[in-house]
Amino acid sequence: MFNFDGYTKLVVFKNIENQPIQEVHGQNIPKSERKCIFCGNENAKFTKVAHAVSETIGNKSLISHFECDECNQNFGKMFEDDLGKYMLPYKLLTKTFGKNNQLSSKDMPKEDGISYGTYRIQLNRNKPVLENIDVKALIIEAKNTGIIKLDNDKIEVNIPRQHYFPPSIYCSFLKMAYSIMPLNLYPQYVKHIVVLQQLVSARSMYQSVELKKEIMRSMENCGLFCFFPGQNPLKGVNVTLWKSLDSKEQEYPRVLFTLEMKNFSFTIPVCADDEQGICKMPRFLSDMEMQYGPLDLQNEEKIFNCEMSGETIDIIDYKLLEDELRKNNLLK
Ligand SMILES: [Zn+2]
């Protein structure tokens, strides 16, 4: 159980990695009659499947009949790359593969024939990482790189991220929030939705990249981050839209959006057009073991750090491991 005090769940989609395909508003509108909630373009095309929530974070089921091809493509182009880089450590730790069958984080090779310079983290969905050893995950590093630290009963993992623009992550979450929002709420959010659409549009009123970045930096870019230890405690990838029960309350945003990914949750304020810059998050109630802190989407977090419990088992014939690593150009 996890709840925000004074809020109710307005929209909930659970385990979106494994559900059958469904239109997010429960509609089935013929392509010729669809309208895009982002651009409102009369001539918009709807030939492709628009995912209401990014596939990168594991959504396989939620699609939208209210997002046109152009907006879908533009949102992807503008935010997906940053979102992927930011989310990679969470995806690695929760085995959330998204569109691919492999997740990997590595630095650039320094020498020919060696496929990593200092570290390589790889996770495969279906097949073993090394041919003759049955493991689906591999962390390998040069001595004292600090990617992995072993203690008696803990493993500390430090996963470096590639350079990303933090406000893009806030915009990605906002786009997901708008996509699952009940249609009758849109009039209260329309100005903010237009800003988001203009940030990605090819015919944007914001003419330079610098101006777009400035606008993105001026957004809320805040929220609540939670970590829940254990084996898939949040039961999959879930998205929730929360609504305040007290519509006059000005201290907190009236609507919040939460993305849950098995062990991690990200909650952001979704400000209506008459709200702005409300970053204060309401009190929450949880009966689950958890840690929490502010979600900072203003500043880059170059290295993701996480502690896990683990046990050491002597499974591998060292010689066999060495041979396999050499064969795969992972060891000199
Ligand atoms: Zn559109």
Side-chain angles (χ1 to χ4, degrees):
M1 193 277 300
F2 181 92
N3 274 312
F4 285 99
D5 194 16
Y7 282 71
T8 182
K9 289 178 181 174
L10 192 62
V11 180
V12 185
F13 291 104
K14 290 210 164 278
N15 197 12
I16 59 175
E17 244 187 323
N18 298 305
Q19 294 297 318
I21 288 196
Q22 60 171 318
E23 205 286 323
V24 77
H25 300 289
Q27 309 270 333
N28 186 11
I29 304 170
K31 285 180 177 175
S32 60
E33 291 168 27
R34 292 182 192 174
K35 281 215 166 69
C36 179
I37 52 160
F38 294 102
C39 65
N41 184 354
E42 294 283 320
N43 304 314
K45 291 197 172 65
F46 295 85
T47 57
K48 297 184 189 113
V49 174
H51 283 85
V53 167
S54 173
E55 282 179 279
T56 304
I57 53 108
N59 175 36
K60 292 264 180 283
S61 59
L62 290 182
I63 61 160
S64 173
H65 283 184
F66 296 84
E67 183 176 338
C68 76
D69 292 354
E70 192 182 337
C71 287
N72 186 250
Q73 196 188 350
N74 289 343
F75 281 125
K77 236 193 270 173
M78 185 83 174
F79 301 138
E80 202 86 332
D81 187 49
D82 284 322
L83 183 67
K85 287 169 181 168
Y86 175 75
M87 294 305 285
L88 183 61
Y90 306 111
K91 292 168 70 175
L92 280 164
L93 292 168
T94 61
K95 302 191 189 81
T96 304
F97 286 90
K99 289 185 227 180
N100 306 316
N101 286 317
Q102 185 194 311
L103 294 168
S104 74
S105 172
K106 59 179 189 287
D107 68 352
M108 291 299 139
K110 280 182 183 161
E111 297 168 51
D112 291 342
I114 296 285
S115 64
Y116 76 102
T118 51
Y119 77 96
R120 180 190 181 92
I121 303 169
Q122 188 178 328
L123 216 67
N124 288 4
R125 197 201 296 260
N126 298 316
K127 61 171 204 220
V129 179
L130 302 168
E131 209 177 308
N132 296 311
I133 298 173
D134 188 23
V135 287
K136 291 198 174 70
L138 177 81
I139 302 179
I140 182 168
E141 62 167 338
K143 216 172 181 178
N144 301 326
T145 310
I147 299 295
I148 191 159
K149 289 177 196 154
L150 296 172
D151 211 330
N152 284 338
D153 55 349
K154 302 197 293 285
I155 304 169
E156 186 188 320
V157 189
N158 295 286
I159 305 175
R161 285 188 175 102
Q162 284 183 48
H163 184 58
Y164 67 97
F165 183 55
S168 277
I169 316 309
Y170 183 74
C171 288
S172 300
F173 290 162
L174 261 191
K175 193 261 164 189
M176 297 177 204
Y178 296 147
S179 293
I180 68 166
M181 185 176 271
L183 296 168
N184 63 358
L185 275 190
Y186 281 104
Q188 297 174 42
Y189 292 83
V190 70
K191 284 187 195 154
H192 285 162
I193 292 174
V194 168
V195 170
L196 197 69
Q197 189 269 338
Q198 285 293 305
L199 283 171
V200 304
S201 168
R203 298 172 297 278
S204 176
M205 61 180 172
Y206 312 128
Q207 300 206 334
S208 70
V209 177
E210 261 324 297
L211 179 57
K212 287 182 184 177
K213 285 196 165 177
E214 202 181 304
I215 288 162
M216 288 164 77
R217 273 192 215 102
S218 73
M219 294 165 100
E220 285 74 21
N221 297 324
C222 63
L224 174 75
F225 172 77
C226 304
F227 167 64
F228 302 83
Q231 186 74 31
N232 193 10
L234 298 170
K235 300 187 170 59
V237 178
N238 317 304
V239 285
T240 307
L241 212 58
W242 309 80
K243 191 180 189 305
S244 169
L245 292 166
D246 180 1
S247 60
K248 284 185 220 78
E249 179 71 72
Q250 287 298 306
E251 202 180 350
Y252 306 113
R254 292 200 293 275
V255 169
L256 307 170
F257 169 76
T258 300
L259 164 69
E260 295 178 341
M261 191 184 261
K262 296 163 196 178
N263 296 85
F264 303 97
S265 82
F266 311 81
T267 301
I268 58 153
V270 183
C271 290
D273 292 343
D274 62 347
E275 303 175 298
Q276 191 105 47
I278 305 181
C279 279
K280 201 170 170 191
M281 300 301 277
R283 216 163 62 92
F284 59 84
L285 314 158
S286 172
D287 60 2
M288 299 163 81
E289 191 193 332
M290 64 176 290
Q291 293 161 19
Y292 64 93
L295 176 65
D296 179 2
L297 298 175
Q298 196 68 259
N299 300 295
E300 204 176 18
E301 188 184 60
K302 290 202 172 79
I303 293 177
F304 174 81
N305 170 281
C306 184
E307 259 181 23
M308 299 186 290
S309 59
E311 33 188 302
T312 318
I313 32 173
D314 303 313
I315 28 152
I316 284 168
D317 175 343
Y318 189 80
K319 184 78 181 69
L320 176 65
L321 177 63
E322 198 182 311
D323 288 349
E324 280 294 304
L325 291 174
R326 281 189 206 287
K327 209 167 77 190
N328 287 279
N329 290 327
L330 291 165
L331 194 69
K332 238 186 358 174

